[in-house]
Amino acid sequence: MTSTDFSAAPPAHAARIRTFHPRRGRMSDRQRDALARLWPAYGLEIDDLDGPCDPAALFGRRAPLVLEIGSGMGDATAAMAAADPDRHYLAVEVHTPGIANLLDLVERHGLGNVRVAKGDALDLVRVMPEGCLDAVHVFFPDPWPKARHHKRRIIQPGHVALLRSRLVPGGTLHCATDWAEYAESMRETLTADPELVDVHGGFAPRPTHRPVTKFERRALTAGREIFDLIHRRR
């Protein structure tokens, strides 16, 4: 069987299709201070990588690794990492205030098992070794609701195949969204991957390990249902 080389750089036209939209935002003095002091110890600039990414070197030790794609303000990542000290958490975000806020939480709660990467998560995953991730979390990604923008969605067949290839056998890909149409699209895409097993046979009960964020509370207040999908690599 011929395997696909997911580590190869994508074609130039593909590289221009981003699954995220960078946002501007103001930082508080506290966040600005945290970013300046803590980034050298805990941060990773994805665009600066010029070779493979070794998670063990990034953390200074080997442990099961959870990849958080789109960590927002970092509250959920910090809470999960604090409750799960035996695993490492690598959070990827493009919103600088969110990165700074997570770094502040890392320091305040003494979270030695968290690192923060800035940039495109897919670019990072491409230079990570296969089978290096215990779990991938994709919580509330941009739904890109307009049909012409669906090509920007992170949960689509090629991206799922890439993420799955980095999971250990038995590792999980956990997605959550408050956008019903995207939830159905996610379910179809994940189910179609022959190397993934649907743990719950459809949408999953809300997992207790996923903290409720401000974003999720706003969605619930607005009357939007939350959908979780959990798939395991064979």
Side-chain angles (χ1 to χ4, degrees):
M1 181 181 293
T2 303
S3 61
T4 302
D5 181 9
F6 291 112
S7 64
H13 70 279
R16 290 194 295 268
I17 299 176
R18 294 300 191 190
T19 62
F20 56 88
H21 181 69
R23 295 176 294 134
R24 294 182 179 181
R26 295 180 179 179
M27 285 192 290
S28 67
D29 290 341
R30 174 181 55 80
Q31 291 170 341
R32 193 174 292 106
D33 174 66
L35 185 63
R37 290 188 299 103
L38 302 174
W39 179 258
Y42 295 96
L44 171 68
E45 183 69 57
I46 295 172
D47 285 346
D48 290 345
L49 291 172
D50 57 2
C53 176
D54 178 8
L58 187 62
F59 286 86
R61 68 180 180 119
R62 294 193 179 278
L65 177 60
V66 179
L67 180 68
E68 290 276 323
I69 297 180
S71 51
M73 296 305 290
D75 303 271
T77 301
M80 287 186 289
D84 190 18
D86 292 331
R87 293 200 295 180
H88 290 153
Y89 281 73
L90 177 54
V92 186
E93 183 53 63
V94 295
H95 186 51
T96 304
I99 291 170
N101 196 67
L102 177 52
L103 290 172
D104 181 61
L105 292 171
V106 165
E107 181 178 58
R108 281 197 280 153
H109 297 290
L111 302 176
N113 61 332
V114 176
R115 297 293 183 270
V116 188
K118 181 180 182 182
D120 190 331
L122 295 175
D123 287 344
L124 174 61
V125 174
R126 289 185 183 100
V127 296
M128 299 179 82
E130 293 194 8
C132 70
L133 298 175
D134 197 56
V136 176
H137 295 165
V138 186
F139 296 158
F140 304 101
D142 193 325
W144 294 104
K146 295 180 180 179
R148 68 177 183 272
H149 291 155
H150 285 184
K151 62 181 177 291
R152 296 185 179 275
R153 289 177 168 178
I154 191 166
I155 300 301
Q156 54 180 283
H159 298 161
V160 168
L162 170 63
L163 296 172
R164 181 254 300 151
S165 73
R166 270 45 177 178
L167 287 170
V168 298
T172 56
L173 174 55
H174 180 182
C175 304
T177 183
D178 63 325
W179 196 267
E181 183 273 331
Y182 194 14
E184 287 294 342
S185 174
M186 286 180 172
R187 186 185 60 79
E188 292 174 3
T189 300
L190 295 170
T191 301
D193 190 301
E195 295 302 316
L196 290 175
V197 176
D198 186 346
V199 174
H200 295 276
F203 296 115
R206 193 193 188 287
T208 57
H209 66 263
R210 182 173 66 74
V212 179
T213 63
K214 292 179 181 178
F215 179 89
E216 185 173 356
R217 289 192 191 97
R218 287 199 300 267
L220 292 169
T221 299
R224 296 193 297 275
E225 185 178 358
I226 307 301
F227 302 90
D228 282 86
L229 287 156
I230 303 175
H231 285 65
R232 185 180 67 248
R233 183 177 182 180
R234 296 185 188 275

